[in-house]
């Protein structure tokens, strides 16, 4: 491995560490300073700003990484669990990812371009479609529900505060969504 490849790998590792720390910090405090995020990631402020020149770009970076993780999770879960369990696990992980978005949703929505929306929404829809189709084929949910309708419905969960009462509400809403699909409890 040459010096350039090592440097690129190091830069990627720094970027990933910044995104992971930012996700946790923003979920705990949407107003977390970029300097505190850099410190938690073990990098200098200059490194953070080199990767993310603004708060908006950092928030969008975290959001995109969460979407990429969720999209990749669907086939992984389906390869290891029965379809309905995989779908429920995926929805639980989706709900967990919304904790960060709750506090910074205005930034995400304001900073996203139409291209950003399509680059995140289309793969998410594909993941939901894959999970739902597997459940339909296995007979664990009724066939015929539009995956986009389901994604729009659960997409509203980001509006629920990440408090104990809010988390209980999220669980009830997901249970309602699965009942609506005809899933067995």
């Amino acid at each position: 491995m040459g010096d350039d490849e090592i440097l690129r790998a190091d830069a990627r590792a720094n970027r990933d560490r910044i995104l992971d720390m930012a996700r946790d910090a923003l979920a705990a405090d949407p107003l977390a300073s970029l300097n505190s995020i850099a410190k938690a990631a073990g990098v200098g402020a200059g490194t953070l700003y080199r990767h993310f020149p603004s708060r908006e770009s950092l928030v969008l970076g975290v959001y995109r990484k969460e979407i990429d993780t969720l999209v990749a999770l669907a086939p992984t879960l389906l390869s290891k669990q029965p379809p309905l369990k995989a779908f429920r696990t995926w929805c639980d992980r989706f709900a967990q990812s919304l904790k960060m978005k709750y506090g910074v949703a205005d930034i995400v929505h304001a900073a996203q371009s139409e291209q950003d929306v399509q680059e995140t929404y289309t793969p998410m829809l594909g993941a939901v479609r894959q999970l739902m189709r597997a459940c339909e084929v296995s007979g664990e949910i009724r066939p015929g529900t539009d995956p986009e309708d389901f994604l729009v419905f659960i997409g509203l969960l980001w509006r629920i505060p990440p408090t104990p009462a809010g988390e209980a509400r999220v669980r009830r809403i997901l249970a309602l969504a699965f009942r609506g699909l005809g899933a067995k409890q």
Side-chain angles (χ1 to χ4, degrees):
M1 189 180 296
D3 288 343
D4 288 344
E5 291 171 338
I6 292 170
L7 182 60
R8 282 193 297 269
D10 185 52
R12 276 193 306 276
N14 283 342
R15 185 179 195 283
D16 286 343
R17 206 168 41 258
I18 291 166
L19 290 171
D20 291 342
M21 292 299 111
R23 179 197 59 231
D24 296 344
L26 294 169
D29 177 7
L31 301 176
S33 75
L34 297 185
N35 286 337
S36 70
I37 292 169
K39 185 176 179 181
V43 300
T47 299
L48 184 143
Y49 283 102
R50 198 167 24 262
H51 289 283
F52 305 101
S54 68
R55 181 176 196 78
E56 291 79 11
S57 65
L58 176 61
V59 169
L60 280 178
V62 171
Y63 180 69
R64 281 179 165 269
K65 186 173 181 185
E66 286 294 300
I67 297 296
D68 292 345
T69 299
L70 285 164
V71 168
L73 184 60
T76 299
L77 290 172
L78 285 169
S79 73
K80 296 178 180 179
Q81 300 176 353
L84 184 58
K85 183 172 185 195
F87 194 18
R88 288 181 190 273
T89 301
W90 187 90
C91 286
D92 289 342
R93 179 61 180 84
F94 173 80
Q96 289 295 314
S97 76
L98 296 176
K99 288 181 179 181
M100 183 281 302
K101 189 177 177 189
Y102 177 79
V104 295
D106 291 340
I107 294 173
V108 170
H109 293 291
Q112 275 188 316
S113 68
E114 185 58 36
Q115 181 179 345
D116 290 326
V117 171
Q118 288 308 310
E119 288 175 359
T120 56
Y121 186 76
T122 301
M124 282 291 286
L125 181 57
V128 170
R129 180 175 287 115
Q130 181 181 21
L131 290 158
M132 288 181 72
R133 294 300 170 239
C135 289
E136 289 175 354
V137 167
S138 70
E140 294 176 285
I141 66 171
R142 259 189 331 273
T145 300
D146 184 338
E148 191 165 13
D149 291 347
F150 186 84
L151 183 57
V152 168
F153 182 71
I154 66 168
L156 296 172
L157 297 176
W158 73 265
R159 296 181 179 267
I160 299 172
T163 62
E167 290 174 11
R169 174 169 281 154
V170 166
R171 285 190 300 276
R172 290 191 307 270
I173 290 171
L174 286 175
L176 174 67
F178 278 98
R179 282 195 305 275
L181 293 173
K184 306 293 185 238
Q185 297 302 321

